[in-house]
Amino acid sequence: MSHEEELAEQARLIKWLQEQLEHQRTVNAELRRAVADLARTFQESLAAAYEAGESGDLEAIRRITRANQQHWQSYLQQIVAAARREK
């Protein structure tokens, strides 16, 4: 392999690595966003569940629990989708 060919190969490799780095940054940003949403929602629902429990409002507790199930499913889907894009 000539020197020019080696340089061209190195340039292709650098470009590929830069593309992979940018892709990884995008995936990481999506995962960070999903985790931040999850933490925020968890804190909000925990406060609501605590208040409902203190007041003895079982229907509110059920409603909060169902909403939490839906949120968890949504966040898991986001994480799985981001992980698939990572490959």
Side-chain angles (χ1 to χ4, degrees):
M1 185 178 275
S2 72
H3 182 65
E4 290 81 22
E5 290 172 331
E6 286 180 16
L7 288 176
E9 179 62 24
Q10 288 175 354
R12 282 191 295 274
L13 180 58
I14 289 169
K15 183 176 185 229
W16 181 82
L17 288 170
Q18 288 171 332
E19 289 169 356
Q20 293 302 309
L21 178 60
E22 186 57 36
H23 175 73
Q24 196 62 47
R25 285 179 176 156
T26 300
V27 170
N28 288 345
E30 289 176 32
L31 289 172
R32 281 193 304 273
R33 201 169 19 262
V35 169
D37 287 346
L38 177 63
R40 179 187 46 75
T41 301
F42 177 73
Q43 287 179 338
E44 290 171 0
S45 69
L46 184 61
Y50 179 81
E51 288 177 23
E54 285 290 305
S55 69
D57 188 349
L58 293 179
E59 185 53 39
I61 294 171
R62 287 185 192 101
R63 207 172 39 253
I64 293 166
T65 301
R66 284 190 294 273
N68 280 342
Q69 267 183 318
Q70 292 170 351
H71 287 121
W72 278 102
Q73 285 299 318
S74 173
Y75 296 128
L76 288 174
Q77 288 171 355
Q78 287 178 20
I79 291 168
V80 167
R84 284 188 183 140
R85 282 190 292 278
E86 186 175 337
K87 293 180 182 177

